[in-house]
């Protein structure tokens, strides 16, 4: 009856305030909720140096993917989360 | 006007309506306490015995009123002692601002005396937290912290302020508090779809929780449930949302929920979850929970939607705004057959208990004899001992409807949730999410202060009480009429119960061979203490307790084999319920 959830890789673009601890909040969320981080890069945004962009690849089923995005959205340092 | 950081902090607290704070001083908050000395006519600081007690008091203060609780601690151990209190507030979505001092900026990162990275430590248990690096940003951060703590789904926010930031001066602007962050309005279409699903359902069941207390939507819940004639089950966090005398209220659902509430929950073809997160203690097996029913999920936190269970329709927003709109859209109806089912289940449960006794009598003669002996012992115990249920009923007769009741964690907590007849919102303060033993003493103090030194009742166990009993001293110091009703069963009852039911009666480390004399302890701390092992003694103790204004402890002796029933074994479903 239960469908086996399909696990896939996906890439997130996360814009965060360029503040001490912002990256830690994002990665801490992943470890505490048991999500995977496969790759991660972070750099200040050229158009707005008060912001940083995190590009992260992760993996999980659809429910996990949705949860990750919603949980990231709740962080006050996170300004935007997009699946790319 | 130039002020130093400590003064700016206190001024900003005052601007946010803060009149009471809880805490404990130390090296890195001396400046802050120096400022509090100047402002003592406007802000009262309550000194506890331990920072954890202060955090629970601030939490209890917030739960009893809806205002943001404020707690202060020094760096290092002061800050780490707050962590359990902050996590308790986080799991139960209580608005709280925790302020910690830290070592001076130049000493940070050098493992200085009493230095810890409290921002790092509390990141997973706060809505947000701050390290203030410059005094110029302090005022804005405090205003933002109060905004975040109460916006949307409330929660704790921590502000860590190095000592030199408290000392440094800058211009104080004295701005107004920030407005709460806006909550998106649910669309007409989404509401319409929910209303249609409700109208089409045959056996709707409302499962409501703490979210309704946060947004004061208890009345809206009553009107909604009456309109669709749906039975209501509540999570422990939402237990006071509806008056216990309401015919649609079936009380607690979940692991230790009432038989009828659980059965109705299991029989429903539509569950309308409002301000709940469908925690494992509420649902048991999630696949079985949702196998035969559809779910509408209403919550202010979008991340709760489809986290633990899958909903057919979700409405993300403020229940106080959603429920009246939804009530207008749904058809007024009566469900006599469905409602009658609750009566059937009630009879079923009574029959079930009676059958159990019958079966015992059918056993072989020797077993029968043993059973009779046990029954006789039971009778003897009843003649001289007390049952948890009758203690709770008796205390309820003394308490007013608006008396705030707090609990610790374990069997006594579940008995209170099952038996105490709550009438008004915010009258039950209990650690539902984190399950923090030792929460209740601090919470009872905070609630008493929040309500103008009102009488509060703490139900606790001998296990829990020992965790934070030092705060009884705080109640004595401030002359708060807290009545501590301590269930002494000489054991860690809830774990013992699990060991009895699921671990072949291997009572590993749950028997408390302590020699504590509780009435003497209460007296030694400066309060009053009584011991009760009969109803007569309990009544005499309650007569005394409820006629004086100092803290009182009443030790009630109960049997160590008293259990909380029903119980749904962890991971089980409503079908696996053990009734007795």
């Amino acid at each position: 009856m239960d469908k086996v959830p399909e696990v896939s890789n996906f890439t997130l673009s996360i814009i965060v305030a360029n503040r001490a601890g912002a990256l830690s909040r994002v990665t801490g969320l992943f470890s505490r909720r048991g999500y995977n981080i496969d790759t991660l890069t972070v750099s200040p945004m050229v158009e707005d140096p008060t912001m940083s962009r995190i590009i992260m690849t992760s993996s999980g089923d659809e429910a996990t993917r949705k949860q990750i995005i919603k949980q990231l959205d709740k962080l006050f340092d996170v300004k935007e989360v997009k699946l790319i | 006007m130039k002020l130093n950081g400590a003064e700016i902090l206190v001024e900003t607290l005052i601007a946010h309506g803060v009149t009471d704070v809880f805490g404990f001083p130390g090296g890195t908050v001396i400046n802050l306490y120096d400022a509090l000395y100047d402002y003592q006519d406007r802000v009262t600081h309550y000194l506890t015995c331990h920072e954890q007690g202060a955090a629970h008091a601030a939490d209890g203060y917030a739960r009893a009123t809806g205002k943001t609780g404020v707690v202060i601690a020094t760096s290092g151990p002061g800050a780490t002692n707050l962590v359990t209190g902050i996590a308790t507030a986080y799991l139960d979505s209580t608005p709280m601002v925790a302020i910690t001092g830290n070592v001076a900026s130049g000493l940070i990162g050098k493992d200085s005396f009493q230095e810890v990275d409290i921002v790092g430590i509390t990141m997973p248990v706060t809505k947000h937290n701050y390290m203030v690096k410059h005094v110029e940003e302090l005022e804005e951060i405090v205003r933002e912290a109060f905004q975040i703590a109460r916006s949307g789904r409330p929660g704790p926010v921590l502000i860590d302020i190095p000592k030199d930031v408290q000392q440094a001066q800058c211009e104080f602007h004295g701005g107004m508090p920030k407005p709460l962050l806006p909550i998106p309005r649910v669309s007409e279409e989404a509401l319409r779809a929910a209303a249609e699903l409700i109208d089409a359902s045959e056996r709707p069941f409302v499962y409501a929780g703490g979210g309704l207390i946060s947004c004061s939507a208890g009345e809206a819940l009553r009107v909604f449930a009456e309109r669709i004639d749906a039975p209501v089950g509540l999570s422990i966090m939402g237990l006071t949302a509806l008056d216990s005398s309401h015919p649609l209220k079936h009380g607690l659902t979940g692991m230790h929920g009432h038989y009828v509430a659980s059965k109705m929950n299991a029989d429903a073809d539509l569950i309308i979850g409002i301000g709940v997160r469908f925690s494992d203690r509420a649902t048991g097996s999630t696949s079985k929970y949702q196998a035969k029913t559809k779910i509408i999920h209403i919550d202010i936190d979008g991340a709760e939607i489809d986290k633990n269970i899958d909903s057919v329709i979700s409405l993300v927003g403020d229940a106080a705004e959603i429920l009246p709109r939804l009530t207008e859209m749904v058809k007024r109806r009566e469900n006599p057959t469905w409602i009658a089912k609750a009566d059937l289940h009630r009879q079923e449960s009574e029959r079930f208990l009676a059958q159990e006794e019958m079966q015992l009598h059918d056993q072989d003669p020797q077993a029968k004899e043993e059973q009779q002996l046990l029954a006789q012992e039971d009778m003897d115990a009843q003649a001289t001992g007390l049952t948890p249920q009758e203690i709770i009923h008796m205390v309820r007769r003394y308490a007013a409807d608006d008396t705030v009741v707090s609990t610790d964690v374990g069997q006594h907590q579940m008995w209170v949730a099952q038996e105490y007849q709550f009438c008004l919102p915010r009258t039950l303060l209990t650690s539902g999410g984190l399950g923090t033993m030792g929460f209740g003493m601090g919470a009872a103090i905070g609630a008493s202060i929040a309500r103008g030194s009102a009488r509060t009742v703490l139900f606790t166990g001998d296990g829990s009480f020992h965790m934070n009993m030092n705060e009884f001293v705080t109640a004595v110091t401030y002359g708060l009429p807290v009545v501590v009703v301590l269930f002494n069963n000489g054991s860690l009852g809830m774990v013992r119960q699990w060991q009895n039911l699921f671990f072949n009666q291997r009572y590993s480390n749950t028997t408390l061979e302590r020699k504590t004399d509780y009435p003497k302890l209460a007296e030694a701390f400066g309060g009053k203490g009584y011991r009760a092992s009969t109803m007569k003694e309990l009544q005499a103790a309650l007569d005394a307790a409820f006629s004086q204004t100092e803290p009182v402890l009443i030790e009630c002796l109960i049997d160590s084999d008293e259990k909380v029933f029903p119980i749904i074994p962890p991971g089980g479903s409503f079908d696996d319920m053990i009734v007795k």
Side-chain angles (χ1 to χ4, degrees), chain B residues 60 143 168 173 201 467 516 541:
Chain B
R143 294 168 69 218
H173 304 285
S201 70
M467 284 211 178
T516 312

Side-chain angles (χ1 to χ4, degrees), chain A residues 2 19-21 24-25 32-33 67 70-71 74 76-77, chain B residues 90 123-124 127-129 133 148 181 301-303 305 307:
Chain A
D2 285 348
R19 274 204 285 255
S24 181
R25 285 178 211 282
R32 127 173 130 93
R33 294 203 181 260
Q67 261 297 306
K70 286 196 278 197
Q71 293 292 352
K74 272 169 72 170
F76 286 88
D77 281 345
Chain B
Y90 184 67
M123 218 172 253
K127 262 184 100 172
H128 193 58
N129 59 16
K133 299 227 164 126
I148 291 173
L181 297 165
D301 180 359
I305 307 301
K307 185 181 86 178

Side-chain angles (χ1 to χ4, degrees), chain B residues 179-239:
Chain B
L180 297 185
L181 297 165
I183 301 155
R185 199 177 144 87
V186 173
S187 72
E188 285 300 290
E189 298 79 68
L191 274 178
R192 181 76 54 203
E196 278 169 16
L197 198 60
I198 293 166
D199 287 342
S201 70
E202 285 174 14
R203 300 181 304 278
F205 181 84
V206 174
Y207 167 47
L212 287 167
I213 308 292
S214 292
C215 68
S216 308
E219 180 59 15
L221 167 75
R222 184 186 64 77
V223 176
F224 171 71
E226 283 175 2
R227 185 162 173 103
I228 63 167
D229 200 19
V232 181
L234 298 147
S235 75
I236 193 164
M237 296 309 300
L239 211 51

Side-chain angles (χ1 to χ4, degrees), chain B residues 12 27 31 35 38 57 68 111 119-120 190 235 240 265 272 319 337 362 388 416 458:
Chain B
T12 316
N31 293 90
D38 284 332
T68 302
D111 304 319
V119 168
S235 75
T240 61
N265 200 339
I272 306 155
T337 329
D362 292 341
V416 169
L458 162 66

Side-chain angles (χ1 to χ4, degrees), chain B residues 403-485:
Chain B
T403 299
V404 176
V405 169
S406 75
T407 77
D408 274 312
V409 169
Q411 287 184 311
H412 71 272
Q413 179 190 28
M414 293 300 117
W415 286 319
V416 169
Q418 290 177 340
E419 297 294 328
Y420 196 95
Q421 298 291 301
F422 292 100
C423 298
L424 295 167
R426 300 190 181 280
T427 51
L428 170 63
L429 316 183
T430 190
S431 172
L434 195 67
T436 307
M437 290 171 72
F439 165 77
M441 193 67 233
I445 288 167
S448 174
I449 290 165
R451 299 205 170 184
S453 300
R455 187 180 310 285
T456 52
V457 174
L458 162 66
F459 285 101
T460 184
D462 49 332
S464 284
F465 184 67
H466 268 280
M467 284 211 178
N468 253 343
M469 65 183 188
N470 48 3
E471 300 307 344
F472 190 84
V473 172
T474 310
V476 171
T477 306
Y478 294 102
L480 305 172
V482 177
V483 178
V484 179
V485 180

